[in-house]
PDB file of all heavy atoms in Angstrom:
ATOM      1  N   GLU N   1     123.430  16.912 143.698  1.00  0.00           N
ATOM      2  CA  GLU N   1     122.794  16.092 142.685  1.00  0.00           C
ATOM      3  C   GLU N   1     123.692  15.902 141.473  1.00  0.00           C
ATOM      4  O   GLU N   1     124.482  16.774 141.123  1.00  0.00           O
ATOM      5  CB  GLU N   1     121.464  16.720 142.237  1.00  0.00           C
ATOM      6  CG  GLU N   1     121.623  18.090 141.585  1.00  0.00           C
ATOM      7  CD  GLU N   1     120.325  18.643 141.018  1.00  0.00           C
ATOM      8  OE1 GLU N   1     119.364  17.871 140.847  1.00  0.00           O
ATOM      9  OE2 GLU N   1     120.272  19.862 140.740  1.00  0.00           O
ATOM     10  N   LEU N   2     123.546  14.759 140.836  1.00  0.00           N
ATOM     11  CA  LEU N   2     124.262  14.472 139.595  1.00  0.00           C
ATOM     12  C   LEU N   2     123.533  15.147 138.443  1.00  0.00           C
ATOM     13  O   LEU N   2     122.342  14.920 138.244  1.00  0.00           O
ATOM     14  CB  LEU N   2     124.348  12.966 139.362  1.00  0.00           C
ATOM     15  CG  LEU N   2     125.037  12.503 138.083  1.00  0.00           C
ATOM     16  CD1 LEU N   2     126.531  12.805 138.134  1.00  0.00           C
ATOM     17  CD2 LEU N   2     124.800  11.015 137.853  1.00  0.00           C
ATOM     18  N   VAL N   3     124.241  15.956 137.680  1.00  0.00           N
ATOM     19  CA  VAL N   3     123.619  16.639 136.551  1.00  0.00           C
ATOM     20  C   VAL N   3     124.056  16.067 135.210  1.00  0.00           C
ATOM     21  O   VAL N   3     123.307  16.165 134.229  1.00  0.00           O
ATOM     22  CB  VAL N   3     123.881  18.160 136.579  1.00  0.00           C
ATOM     23  CG1 VAL N   3     123.260  18.776 137.825  1.00  0.00           C
ATOM     24  CG2 VAL N   3     125.373  18.477 136.526  1.00  0.00           C
ATOM     25  N   ALA N   4     125.239  15.476 135.140  1.00  0.00           N
ATOM     26  CA  ALA N   4     125.725  14.889 133.894  1.00  0.00           C
ATOM     27  C   ALA N   4     126.800  13.867 134.198  1.00  0.00           C
ATOM     28  O   ALA N   4     127.574  14.039 135.140  1.00  0.00           O
ATOM     29  CB  ALA N   4     126.273  15.963 132.947  1.00  0.00           C
ATOM     30  N   GLY N   5     126.859  12.809 133.407  1.00  0.00           N
ATOM     31  CA  GLY N   5     127.877  11.792 133.585  1.00  0.00           C
ATOM     32  C   GLY N   5     128.315  11.215 132.261  1.00  0.00           C
ATOM     33  O   GLY N   5     127.564  11.241 131.281  1.00  0.00           O
ATOM     34  N   ILE N   6     129.534  10.700 132.237  1.00  0.00           N
ATOM     35  CA  ILE N   6     130.066  10.046 131.044  1.00  0.00           C
ATOM     36  C   ILE N   6     130.790   8.780 131.479  1.00  0.00           C
ATOM     37  O   ILE N   6     131.601   8.799 132.401  1.00  0.00           O
ATOM     38  CB  ILE N   6     130.980  10.995 130.236  1.00  0.00           C
ATOM     39  CG1 ILE N   6     131.435  10.328 128.934  1.00  0.00           C
ATOM     40  CG2 ILE N   6     132.164  11.475 131.064  1.00  0.00           C
ATOM     41  CD1 ILE N   6     132.077  11.311 127.959  1.00  0.00           C
ATOM     42  N   SER N   7     130.486   7.665 130.839  1.00  0.00           N
ATOM     43  CA  SER N   7     131.082   6.386 131.187  1.00  0.00           C
ATOM     44  C   SER N   7     132.446   6.232 130.545  1.00  0.00           C
ATOM     45  O   SER N   7     132.851   7.022 129.688  1.00  0.00           O
ATOM     46  CB  SER N   7     130.162   5.242 130.757  1.00  0.00           C
ATOM     47  OG  SER N   7     130.194   5.083 129.350  1.00  0.00           O
ATOM     48  N   SER N   8     133.163   5.180 130.960  1.00  0.00           N
ATOM     49  CA  SER N   8     134.458   4.897 130.353  1.00  0.00           C
ATOM     50  C   SER N   8     134.326   4.601 128.865  1.00  0.00           C
ATOM     51  O   SER N   8     135.280   4.804 128.108  1.00  0.00           O
ATOM     52  CB  SER N   8     135.132   3.724 131.063  1.00  0.00           C
ATOM     53  OG  SER N   8     134.346   2.549 130.991  1.00  0.00           O
ATOM     54  N   GLY N   9     133.155   4.129 128.447  1.00  0.00           N
ATOM     55  CA  GLY N   9     132.905   3.853 127.047  1.00  0.00           C
ATOM     56  C   GLY N   9     132.387   5.035 126.261  1.00  0.00           C
ATOM     57  O   GLY N   9     132.215   4.936 125.044  1.00  0.00           O
ATOM     58  N   GLY N  10     132.123   6.146 126.942  1.00  0.00           N
ATOM     59  CA  GLY N  10     131.705   7.354 126.261  1.00  0.00           C
ATOM     60  C   GLY N  10     130.215   7.637 126.262  1.00  0.00           C
ATOM     61  O   GLY N  10     129.791   8.666 125.724  1.00  0.00           O
ATOM     62  N   SER N  11     129.412   6.746 126.835  1.00  0.00           N
ATOM     63  CA  SER N  11     127.984   7.019 126.905  1.00  0.00           C
ATOM     64  C   SER N  11     127.710   8.105 127.938  1.00  0.00           C
ATOM     65  O   SER N  11     128.420   8.220 128.938  1.00  0.00           O
ATOM     66  CB  SER N  11     127.202   5.752 127.237  1.00  0.00           C
ATOM     67  OG  SER N  11     127.577   5.253 128.513  1.00  0.00           O
ATOM     68  N   THR N  12     126.690   8.902 127.700  1.00  0.00           N
ATOM     69  CA  THR N  12     126.398  10.040 128.564  1.00  0.00           C
ATOM     70  C   THR N  12     125.014   9.939 129.173  1.00  0.00           C
ATOM     71  O   THR N  12     124.129   9.253 128.658  1.00  0.00           O
ATOM     72  CB  THR N  12     126.522  11.363 127.795  1.00  0.00           C
ATOM     73  OG1 THR N  12     125.623  11.347 126.676  1.00  0.00           O
ATOM     74  CG2 THR N  12     127.942  11.565 127.285  1.00  0.00           C
ATOM     75  N   ARG N  13     124.830  10.641 130.275  1.00  0.00           N
ATOM     76  CA  ARG N  13     123.552  10.717 130.957  1.00  0.00           C
ATOM     77  C   ARG N  13     123.386  12.128 131.499  1.00  0.00           C
ATOM     78  O   ARG N  13     124.368  12.782 131.868  1.00  0.00           O
ATOM     79  CB  ARG N  13     123.468   9.691 132.090  1.00  0.00           C
ATOM     80  CG  ARG N  13     124.578   9.842 133.117  1.00  0.00           C
ATOM     81  CD  ARG N  13     124.672   8.660 134.055  1.00  0.00           C
ATOM     82  NE  ARG N  13     123.668   8.688 135.102  1.00  0.00           N
ATOM     83  CZ  ARG N  13     123.634   7.841 136.135  1.00  0.00           C
ATOM     84  NH1 ARG N  13     124.569   6.891 136.238  1.00  0.00           N
ATOM     85  NH2 ARG N  13     122.685   7.928 137.045  1.00  0.00           N
ATOM     86  N   TYR N  14     122.152  12.596 131.567  1.00  0.00           N
ATOM     87  CA  TYR N  14     121.878  13.950 132.015  1.00  0.00           C
ATOM     88  C   TYR N  14     120.631  13.980 132.877  1.00  0.00           C
ATOM     89  O   TYR N  14     119.671  13.234 132.649  1.00  0.00           O
ATOM     90  CB  TYR N  14     121.665  14.898 130.832  1.00  0.00           C
ATOM     91  CG  TYR N  14     122.853  15.022 129.913  1.00  0.00           C
ATOM     92  CD1 TYR N  14     122.975  14.218 128.783  1.00  0.00           C
ATOM     93  CD2 TYR N  14     123.861  15.949 130.176  1.00  0.00           C
ATOM     94  CE1 TYR N  14     124.068  14.322 127.947  1.00  0.00           C
ATOM     95  CE2 TYR N  14     124.959  16.059 129.343  1.00  0.00           C
ATOM     96  CZ  TYR N  14     125.059  15.250 128.234  1.00  0.00           C
ATOM     97  OH  TYR N  14     126.151  15.364 127.404  1.00  0.00           O
ATOM     98  N   ALA N  15     120.647  14.860 133.853  1.00  0.00           N
ATOM     99  CA  ALA N  15     119.432  15.143 134.588  1.00  0.00           C
ATOM    100  C   ALA N  15     118.446  15.835 133.653  1.00  0.00           C
ATOM    101  O   ALA N  15     118.842  16.585 132.755  1.00  0.00           O
ATOM    102  CB  ALA N  15     119.732  16.031 135.794  1.00  0.00           C
ATOM    103  N   SER N  16     117.166  15.584 133.860  1.00  0.00           N
ATOM    104  CA  SER N  16     116.160  16.162 132.984  1.00  0.00           C
ATOM    105  C   SER N  16     116.203  17.690 132.982  1.00  0.00           C
ATOM    106  O   SER N  16     115.879  18.330 131.973  1.00  0.00           O
ATOM    107  CB  SER N  16     114.769  15.679 133.386  1.00  0.00           C
ATOM    108  OG  SER N  16     114.455  16.058 134.714  1.00  0.00           O
ATOM    109  N   SER N  17     116.629  18.278 134.083  1.00  0.00           N
ATOM    110  CA  SER N  17     116.660  19.729 134.197  1.00  0.00           C
ATOM    111  C   SER N  17     117.710  20.389 133.314  1.00  0.00           C
ATOM    112  O   SER N  17     117.616  21.591 133.042  1.00  0.00           O
ATOM    113  CB  SER N  17     116.889  20.133 135.655  1.00  0.00           C
ATOM    114  OG  SER N  17     118.103  19.594 136.144  1.00  0.00           O
ATOM    115  N   VAL N  18     118.709  19.624 132.866  1.00  0.00           N
ATOM    116  CA  VAL N  18     119.785  20.200 132.062  1.00  0.00           C
ATOM    117  C   VAL N  18     119.885  19.590 130.675  1.00  0.00           C
ATOM    118  O   VAL N  18     120.650  20.094 129.840  1.00  0.00           O
ATOM    119  CB  VAL N  18     121.152  20.082 132.769  1.00  0.00           C
ATOM    120  CG1 VAL N  18     121.087  20.651 134.178  1.00  0.00           C
ATOM    121  CG2 VAL N  18     121.631  18.635 132.798  1.00  0.00           C
ATOM    122  N   ARG N  19     119.138  18.541 130.417  1.00  0.00           N
ATOM    123  CA  ARG N  19     119.208  17.865 129.129  1.00  0.00           C
ATOM    124  C   ARG N  19     118.863  18.829 127.995  1.00  0.00           C
ATOM    125  O   ARG N  19     117.876  19.556 128.058  1.00  0.00           O
ATOM    126  CB  ARG N  19     118.276  16.657 129.103  1.00  0.00           C
ATOM    127  CG  ARG N  19     118.426  15.788 127.856  1.00  0.00           C
ATOM    128  CD  ARG N  19     117.575  14.513 127.947  1.00  0.00           C
ATOM    129  NE  ARG N  19     118.035  13.621 129.003  1.00  0.00           N
ATOM    130  CZ  ARG N  19     117.351  13.356 130.103  1.00  0.00           C
ATOM    131  NH1 ARG N  19     116.159  13.911 130.304  1.00  0.00           N
ATOM    132  NH2 ARG N  19     117.848  12.541 131.012  1.00  0.00           N
ATOM    133  N   GLY N  20     119.703  18.828 126.962  1.00  0.00           N
ATOM    134  CA  GLY N  20     119.524  19.733 125.845  1.00  0.00           C
ATOM    135  C   GLY N  20     120.257  21.040 125.997  1.00  0.00           C
ATOM    136  O   GLY N  20     120.407  21.779 125.013  1.00  0.00           O
ATOM    137  N   ARG N  21     120.714  21.353 127.205  1.00  0.00           N
ATOM    138  CA  ARG N  21     121.444  22.593 127.463  1.00  0.00           C
ATOM    139  C   ARG N  21     122.907  22.340 127.830  1.00  0.00           C
ATOM    140  O   ARG N  21     123.768  23.149 127.489  1.00  0.00           O
ATOM    141  CB  ARG N  21     120.778  23.388 128.581  1.00  0.00           C
ATOM    142  CG  ARG N  21     119.347  23.798 128.278  1.00  0.00           C
ATOM    143  CD  ARG N  21     118.807  24.748 129.340  1.00  0.00           C
ATOM    144  NE  ARG N  21     118.722  24.105 130.653  1.00  0.00           N
ATOM    145  CZ  ARG N  21     119.381  24.521 131.730  1.00  0.00           C
ATOM    146  NH1 ARG N  21     120.178  25.577 131.666  1.00  0.00           N
ATOM    147  NH2 ARG N  21     119.233  23.890 132.892  1.00  0.00           N
ATOM    148  N   PHE N  22     123.172  21.251 128.540  1.00  0.00           N
ATOM    149  CA  PHE N  22     124.526  20.917 128.984  1.00  0.00           C
ATOM    150  C   PHE N  22     125.065  19.751 128.172  1.00  0.00           C
ATOM    151  O   PHE N  22     124.313  18.852 127.776  1.00  0.00           O
ATOM    152  CB  PHE N  22     124.537  20.520 130.464  1.00  0.00           C
ATOM    153  CG  PHE N  22     124.234  21.633 131.431  1.00  0.00           C
ATOM    154  CD1 PHE N  22     123.803  22.883 131.011  1.00  0.00           C
ATOM    155  CD2 PHE N  22     124.386  21.413 132.792  1.00  0.00           C
ATOM    156  CE1 PHE N  22     123.522  23.899 131.912  1.00  0.00           C
ATOM    157  CE2 PHE N  22     124.111  22.415 133.710  1.00  0.00           C
ATOM    158  CZ  PHE N  22     123.680  23.651 133.274  1.00  0.00           C
ATOM    159  N   THR N  23     126.375  19.747 127.958  1.00  0.00           N
ATOM    160  CA  THR N  23     127.044  18.654 127.269  1.00  0.00           C
ATOM    161  C   THR N  23     128.315  18.278 128.020  1.00  0.00           C
ATOM    162  O   THR N  23     129.163  19.131 128.266  1.00  0.00           O
ATOM    163  CB  THR N  23     127.408  19.023 125.827  1.00  0.00           C
ATOM    164  OG1 THR N  23     126.229  19.413 125.106  1.00  0.00           O
ATOM    165  CG2 THR N  23     128.048  17.831 125.119  1.00  0.00           C
ATOM    166  N   ILE N  24     128.438  17.007 128.382  1.00  0.00           N
ATOM    167  CA  ILE N  24     129.639  16.520 129.040  1.00  0.00           C
ATOM    168  C   ILE N  24     130.528  15.838 128.004  1.00  0.00           C
ATOM    169  O   ILE N  24     130.046  15.146 127.109  1.00  0.00           O
ATOM    170  CB  ILE N  24     129.297  15.560 130.201  1.00  0.00           C
ATOM    171  CG1 ILE N  24     130.554  15.204 131.007  1.00  0.00           C
ATOM    172  CG2 ILE N  24     128.588  14.312 129.705  1.00  0.00           C
ATOM    173  CD1 ILE N  24     130.251  14.453 132.305  1.00  0.00           C
ATOM    174  N   SER N  25     131.834  16.039 128.122  1.00  0.00           N
ATOM    175  CA  SER N  25     132.783  15.422 127.210  1.00  0.00           C
ATOM    176  C   SER N  25     134.073  15.109 127.957  1.00  0.00           C
ATOM    177  O   SER N  25     134.286  15.573 129.076  1.00  0.00           O
ATOM    178  CB  SER N  25     133.056  16.319 125.996  1.00  0.00           C
ATOM    179  OG  SER N  25     133.620  17.553 126.396  1.00  0.00           O
ATOM    180  N   ARG N  26     134.928  14.330 127.324  1.00  0.00           N
ATOM    181  CA  ARG N  26     136.144  13.848 127.980  1.00  0.00           C
ATOM    182  C   ARG N  26     137.311  13.873 127.013  1.00  0.00           C
ATOM    183  O   ARG N  26     137.168  13.529 125.834  1.00  0.00           O
ATOM    184  CB  ARG N  26     135.897  12.427 128.499  1.00  0.00           C
ATOM    185  CG  ARG N  26     137.051  11.791 129.245  1.00  0.00           C
ATOM    186  CD  ARG N  26     136.689  10.361 129.622  1.00  0.00           C
ATOM    187  NE  ARG N  26     136.505   9.540 128.431  1.00  0.00           N
ATOM    188  CZ  ARG N  26     135.620   8.562 128.326  1.00  0.00           C
ATOM    189  NH1 ARG N  26     134.812   8.285 129.342  1.00  0.00           N
ATOM    190  NH2 ARG N  26     135.528   7.865 127.210  1.00  0.00           N
ATOM    191  N   ASP N  27     138.479  14.267 127.508  1.00  0.00           N
ATOM    192  CA  ASP N  27     139.721  14.217 126.748  1.00  0.00           C
ATOM    193  C   ASP N  27     140.702  13.395 127.570  1.00  0.00           C
ATOM    194  O   ASP N  27     141.336  13.908 128.488  1.00  0.00           O
ATOM    195  CB  ASP N  27     140.263  15.615 126.474  1.00  0.00           C
ATOM    196  CG  ASP N  27     141.443  15.612 125.521  1.00  0.00           C
ATOM    197  OD1 ASP N  27     142.171  14.603 125.452  1.00  0.00           O
ATOM    198  OD2 ASP N  27     141.654  16.631 124.841  1.00  0.00           O
ATOM    199  N   ASN N  28     140.823  12.115 127.255  1.00  0.00           N
ATOM    200  CA  ASN N  28     141.666  11.220 128.046  1.00  0.00           C
ATOM    201  C   ASN N  28     143.138  11.622 128.006  1.00  0.00           C
ATOM    202  O   ASN N  28     143.852  11.475 128.999  1.00  0.00           O
ATOM    203  CB  ASN N  28     141.511   9.782 127.559  1.00  0.00           C
ATOM    204  CG  ASN N  28     140.146   9.209 127.837  1.00  0.00           C
ATOM    205  OD1 ASN N  28     139.405   9.709 128.689  1.00  0.00           O
ATOM    206  ND2 ASN N  28     139.785   8.147 127.130  1.00  0.00           N
ATOM    207  N   ALA N  29     143.603  12.113 126.864  1.00  0.00           N
ATOM    208  CA  ALA N  29     145.000  12.517 126.735  1.00  0.00           C
ATOM    209  C   ALA N  29     145.352  13.659 127.674  1.00  0.00           C
ATOM    210  O   ALA N  29     146.487  13.766 128.139  1.00  0.00           O
ATOM    211  CB  ALA N  29     145.311  12.899 125.295  1.00  0.00           C
ATOM    212  N   LYS N  30     144.385  14.525 127.943  1.00  0.00           N
ATOM    213  CA  LYS N  30     144.597  15.660 128.835  1.00  0.00           C
ATOM    214  C   LYS N  30     144.115  15.392 130.255  1.00  0.00           C
ATOM    215  O   LYS N  30     144.210  16.269 131.110  1.00  0.00           O
ATOM    216  CB  LYS N  30     143.896  16.903 128.288  1.00  0.00           C
ATOM    217  CG  LYS N  30     144.452  17.392 126.961  1.00  0.00           C
ATOM    218  CD  LYS N  30     143.737  18.648 126.498  1.00  0.00           C
ATOM    219  CE  LYS N  30     144.319  19.165 125.200  1.00  0.00           C
ATOM    220  NZ  LYS N  30     143.623  20.390 124.731  1.00  0.00           N
ATOM    221  N   ASN N  31     143.592  14.199 130.501  1.00  0.00           N
ATOM    222  CA  ASN N  31     143.058  13.839 131.818  1.00  0.00           C
ATOM    223  C   ASN N  31     142.037  14.866 132.296  1.00  0.00           C
ATOM    224  O   ASN N  31     142.042  15.270 133.468  1.00  0.00           O
ATOM    225  CB  ASN N  31     144.188  13.704 132.838  1.00  0.00           C
ATOM    226  CG  ASN N  31     145.180  12.626 132.480  1.00  0.00           C
ATOM    227  OD1 ASN N  31     144.800  11.549 132.014  1.00  0.00           O
ATOM    228  ND2 ASN N  31     146.458  12.888 132.694  1.00  0.00           N
ATOM    229  N   THR N  32     141.158  15.267 131.398  1.00  0.00           N
ATOM    230  CA  THR N  32     140.222  16.341 131.692  1.00  0.00           C
ATOM    231  C   THR N  32     138.823  15.991 131.189  1.00  0.00           C
ATOM    232  O   THR N  32     138.668  15.447 130.095  1.00  0.00           O
ATOM    233  CB  THR N  32     140.673  17.664 131.059  1.00  0.00           C
ATOM    234  OG1 THR N  32     141.984  18.003 131.546  1.00  0.00           O
ATOM    235  CG2 THR N  32     139.723  18.795 131.411  1.00  0.00           C
ATOM    236  N   VAL N  33     137.830  16.304 132.002  1.00  0.00           N
ATOM    237  CA  VAL N  33     136.429  16.192 131.631  1.00  0.00           C
ATOM    238  C   VAL N  33     135.828  17.592 131.629  1.00  0.00           C
ATOM    239  O   VAL N  33     136.127  18.405 132.513  1.00  0.00           O
ATOM    240  CB  VAL N  33     135.664  15.269 132.590  1.00  0.00           C
ATOM    241  CG1 VAL N  33     134.162  15.326 132.324  1.00  0.00           C
ATOM    242  CG2 VAL N  33     136.163  13.840 132.451  1.00  0.00           C
ATOM    243  N   TYR N  34     134.983  17.870 130.650  1.00  0.00           N
ATOM    244  CA  TYR N  34     134.397  19.193 130.491  1.00  0.00           C
ATOM    245  C   TYR N  34     132.886  19.142 130.651  1.00  0.00           C
ATOM    246  O   TYR N  34     132.246  18.113 130.424  1.00  0.00           O
ATOM    247  CB  TYR N  34     134.719  19.761 129.107  1.00  0.00           C
ATOM    248  CG  TYR N  34     136.190  19.820 128.790  1.00  0.00           C
ATOM    249  CD1 TYR N  34     136.806  18.808 128.060  1.00  0.00           C
ATOM    250  CD2 TYR N  34     136.967  20.891 129.221  1.00  0.00           C
ATOM    251  CE1 TYR N  34     138.154  18.856 127.765  1.00  0.00           C
ATOM    252  CE2 TYR N  34     138.320  20.948 128.931  1.00  0.00           C
ATOM    253  CZ  TYR N  34     138.909  19.932 128.202  1.00  0.00           C
ATOM    254  OH  TYR N  34     140.251  19.993 127.919  1.00  0.00           O
ATOM    255  N   LEU N  35     132.330  20.270 131.023  1.00  0.00           N
ATOM    256  CA  LEU N  35     130.885  20.448 131.024  1.00  0.00           C
ATOM    257  C   LEU N  35     130.584  21.763 130.327  1.00  0.00           C
ATOM    258  O   LEU N  35     130.843  22.837 130.881  1.00  0.00           O
ATOM    259  CB  LEU N  35     130.313  20.447 132.436  1.00  0.00           C
ATOM    260  CG  LEU N  35     128.784  20.529 132.519  1.00  0.00           C
ATOM    261  CD1 LEU N  35     128.152  19.262 131.955  1.00  0.00           C
ATOM    262  CD2 LEU N  35     128.323  20.764 133.957  1.00  0.00           C
ATOM    263  N   GLN N  36     130.059  21.675 129.114  1.00  0.00           N
ATOM    264  CA  GLN N  36     129.627  22.858 128.389  1.00  0.00           C
ATOM    265  C   GLN N  36     128.209  23.192 128.814  1.00  0.00           C
ATOM    266  O   GLN N  36     127.309  22.363 128.695  1.00  0.00           O
ATOM    267  CB  GLN N  36     129.678  22.615 126.879  1.00  0.00           C
ATOM    268  CG  GLN N  36     129.232  23.803 126.037  1.00  0.00           C
ATOM    269  CD  GLN N  36     130.155  24.988 126.162  1.00  0.00           C
ATOM    270  OE1 GLN N  36     131.373  24.839 126.080  1.00  0.00           O
ATOM    271  NE2 GLN N  36     129.581  26.169 126.364  1.00  0.00           N
ATOM    272  N   MET N  37     128.011  24.390 129.319  1.00  0.00           N
ATOM    273  CA  MET N  37     126.737  24.816 129.866  1.00  0.00           C
ATOM    274  C   MET N  37     126.200  25.978 129.033  1.00  0.00           C
ATOM    275  O   MET N  37     126.777  27.060 129.034  1.00  0.00           O
ATOM    276  CB  MET N  37     126.893  25.247 131.326  1.00  0.00           C
ATOM    277  CG  MET N  37     127.634  24.226 132.187  1.00  0.00           C
ATOM    278  SD  MET N  37     128.199  24.900 133.771  1.00  0.00           S
ATOM    279  CE  MET N  37     126.637  25.204 134.572  1.00  0.00           C
ATOM    280  N   ASN N  38     125.109  25.741 128.324  1.00  0.00           N
ATOM    281  CA  ASN N  38     124.478  26.754 127.490  1.00  0.00           C
ATOM    282  C   ASN N  38     123.093  27.093 128.017  1.00  0.00           C
ATOM    283  O   ASN N  38     122.511  26.346 128.797  1.00  0.00           O
ATOM    284  CB  ASN N  38     124.374  26.271 126.045  1.00  0.00           C
ATOM    285  CG  ASN N  38     125.716  25.990 125.407  1.00  0.00           C
ATOM    286  OD1 ASN N  38     126.705  26.666 125.683  1.00  0.00           O
ATOM    287  ND2 ASN N  38     125.758  24.997 124.530  1.00  0.00           N
ATOM    288  N   SER N  39     122.562  28.212 127.552  1.00  0.00           N
ATOM    289  CA  SER N  39     121.218  28.649 127.936  1.00  0.00           C
ATOM    290  C   SER N  39     121.032  28.602 129.445  1.00  0.00           C
ATOM    291  O   SER N  39     120.033  28.094 129.951  1.00  0.00           O
ATOM    292  CB  SER N  39     120.169  27.785 127.236  1.00  0.00           C
ATOM    293  OG  SER N  39     120.305  27.856 125.831  1.00  0.00           O
ATOM    294  N   LEU N  40     121.980  29.149 130.162  1.00  0.00           N
ATOM    295  CA  LEU N  40     121.969  29.061 131.614  1.00  0.00           C
ATOM    296  C   LEU N  40     120.792  29.812 132.224  1.00  0.00           C
ATOM    297  O   LEU N  40     120.379  30.863 131.728  1.00  0.00           O
ATOM    298  CB  LEU N  40     123.285  29.587 132.180  1.00  0.00           C
ATOM    299  CG  LEU N  40     124.455  28.610 132.034  1.00  0.00           C
ATOM    300  CD1 LEU N  40     125.778  29.333 132.218  1.00  0.00           C
ATOM    301  CD2 LEU N  40     124.327  27.474 133.047  1.00  0.00           C
TER     302      LEU N  40
END
């Protein structure tokens, strides 16, 4: 299942089960996408 996504424009989406706890972000210079997972 998809839990989090980020578009090329930077908009984000989250599954309801993780919304408010997970944060997706992107660093284009490092070619890396992150998922910060809190309150696991």
Side-chain angles (χ1 to χ4, degrees):
E1 63 174 344
L2 178 68
V3 297
I6 185 167
S7 73
S8 60
S11 62
T12 58
R13 57 193 281 188
Y14 299 93
S16 60
S17 59
V18 307
R19 188 174 294 112
R21 299 188 296 119
F22 292 8
T23 303
I24 188 170
S25 61
R26 182 183 64 215
D27 188 333
N28 292 341
K30 296 182 178 180
N31 299 320
T32 302
V33 171
Y34 304 96
L35 184 67
Q36 180 66 47
M37 310 165 67
N38 299 325
S39 301
L40 283 163

